[in-house]
Amino acid sequence: MTVRVLGIETSCDETAASVVEDGVRVASNVIATQHDLHETYAGVVPEIASRAHLERILPVIRQALAEADTTLDGLDAIAVGHRPGLIGSLLVGVSAAKALAWALDLPVLGVDHVAAHLYAGQLESPPVAYPALGLVVSGGHTSLFDVADPLRMTVIGRTIDDAIGEAYDKAATMLDLGYPGGPLVDALAATGNDRAHRFPVANLGADRLDFSFSGLKTSLLYAVRGQPRGRGAAATFERDASALDASEKADFAASFQRAAVRAIVRNVRRALDTREVRTLLVGGGVSANSRLRSELTELAVEAGLDLRLPRMEYCLDNAAMIAGLGTVRLRAGERDDWSLAASPNSLVAS
Ligand code: KG4
Ligand code: ZN
């Protein structure tokens, strides 16, 4: 019999619901973005995000059920991303999931958002061979994992400062491109010369798998704006991005992207050198990046690895990955009780 799970995701600025069958077939995947609401601030404003989730959560769930051609009675469980994320945002999803599960007398399953990103490459795809190496590259995380199975993983490397997605978003702001910046920098980079500028690729030590993106970010800032006068927030610069023409911006974007992707791929290679894995699992918003996708694809061919790059619609925050991993928990006989709570921290990534 088909196991049908409703997933709910509200950890940041996407309100999402999805119905997934047997943990892999995505019957619906509804995502309401709030980008328009946060654009003016060039970043997510937590209070605005949670209010918008509240307004959107029920219509989004209704739409997910309708598109899956099912009703609440057709569900076997409710899964919800309950950590990590913005606490006020997570609370909306967790409250909705618990209320529905209570009313329908169904199991409720809390799912870790970071672990769910690593499950995204299994959606609409054949089963994965474990152990695997896991790479999560998003707006909040840049981490490498030893993955024993979909529910058990250990961090082996992480960023010591900015997440890579955060660096992309800041690069876009410096280049005056808009928000969210990652996809805009990626698109612009395609038209630029990636060797026009030499930006640093942080290397924290020959045997370390950690990342750092703050040096890259600062190098781009100084290259675009010139030397700062004064310190910290009070610093003024010689110029800003308005002094650049389109091709100069594209060269900055391409050179930034080359360094950022290089930092990731180098540590993935390093991790692979010291472990036997058959699969490389990748997830998070930055796994949509064109250069990262092509460099990882080359690496996987070279290393004979099964590379699981999620389809584009499952790279960014979505509820299908939540429903999918929730189904794995359900099948393992796990479930949560009514004390299930939202938390700003990840269990797997900390
Ligand atoms: O996974 P996600 O939707 O949210 C978090 O869990 O953080 O990731 C969002 C991040 C943003 O920083 C966004 O700019 C970045 O993913 N991103 C990209 C691309 N598409 C999204 N970064 C680089 N290239 C892209 N094509
Ligand atoms: Zn995410």
Side-chain angles (χ1 to χ4, degrees), residues 60-137:
V60 164
I61 290 173
R62 274 193 204 104
Q63 193 181 336
L65 293 169
E67 287 182 14
D69 211 7
T70 188
T71 59
L72 290 170
D73 295 336
L75 299 174
D76 296 294
I78 316 275
V80 59
H82 74 124
R83 64 193 314 166
L86 301 170
I87 194 75
S89 292
L90 289 166
L91 270 172
V92 176
V94 170
S95 307
K98 280 164 61 170
L100 276 175
W102 173 273
L104 298 164
D105 199 18
L106 289 177
V108 65
L109 300 136
V111 170
D112 189 292
H113 180 93
V114 177
H117 271 309
L118 287 180
Y119 185 82
Q122 306 210 35
L123 295 168
E124 308 283 359
S125 302
V128 157
Y130 290 93
L133 180 69
L135 169 69
V136 175
V137 276

Side-chain angles (χ1 to χ4, degrees), residues 113 117 138-140 165-166 168-169 180-183 186 284-286 288-289 315-317:
H113 180 93
H117 271 309
S138 72
E166 210 178 333
Y168 262 96
D169 292 336
D186 189 6
V286 186
N289 183 266
C315 286
L316 294 164
D317 287 349

Side-chain angles (χ1 to χ4, degrees), residues 9 83-84 111-120 135-138 140-141 143 145 153 155 283-284 321-322 325 345-350:
E9 157 62 35
R83 64 193 314 166
V111 170
D112 189 292
H113 180 93
V114 177
H117 271 309
L118 287 180
Y119 185 82
L135 169 69
V136 175
V137 276
S138 72
H141 293 88
S143 307
F145 298 87
M153 58 207 69
V155 180
M321 65 183 192
I322 303 290
L325 192 54
N345 305 314
S346 169
L347 262 191
V348 300
S350 48

Side-chain angles (χ1 to χ4, degrees), residues 299-328:
L299 186 158
V301 170
E302 207 180 286
L305 284 174
D306 177 15
L307 171 65
R308 293 303 179 98
L309 279 171
R311 291 189 190 188
M312 286 304 205
E313 62 267 39
Y314 309 135
C315 286
L316 294 164
D317 287 349
N318 67 86
M321 65 183 192
I322 303 290
L325 192 54
T327 309
V328 175

Side-chain angles (χ1 to χ4, degrees), residues 233-282:
T236 55
F237 288 89
E238 295 167 17
R239 55 183 181 271
D240 62 27
S242 63
L244 301 174
D245 67 25
S247 89
E248 286 170 324
K249 279 193 187 182
D251 287 351
F252 277 122
S255 304
F256 170 88
Q257 176 143 295
R258 178 167 187 259
V261 169
R262 205 168 236 215
I264 301 290
V265 174
R266 196 211 32 230
N267 281 13
V268 169
R269 276 186 196 281
R270 217 175 248 177
L272 289 171
D273 280 346
T274 51
R275 46 196 33 83
E276 285 291 319
V277 295
R278 299 159 68 186
T279 311
L280 174 56
L281 298 169
V282 186

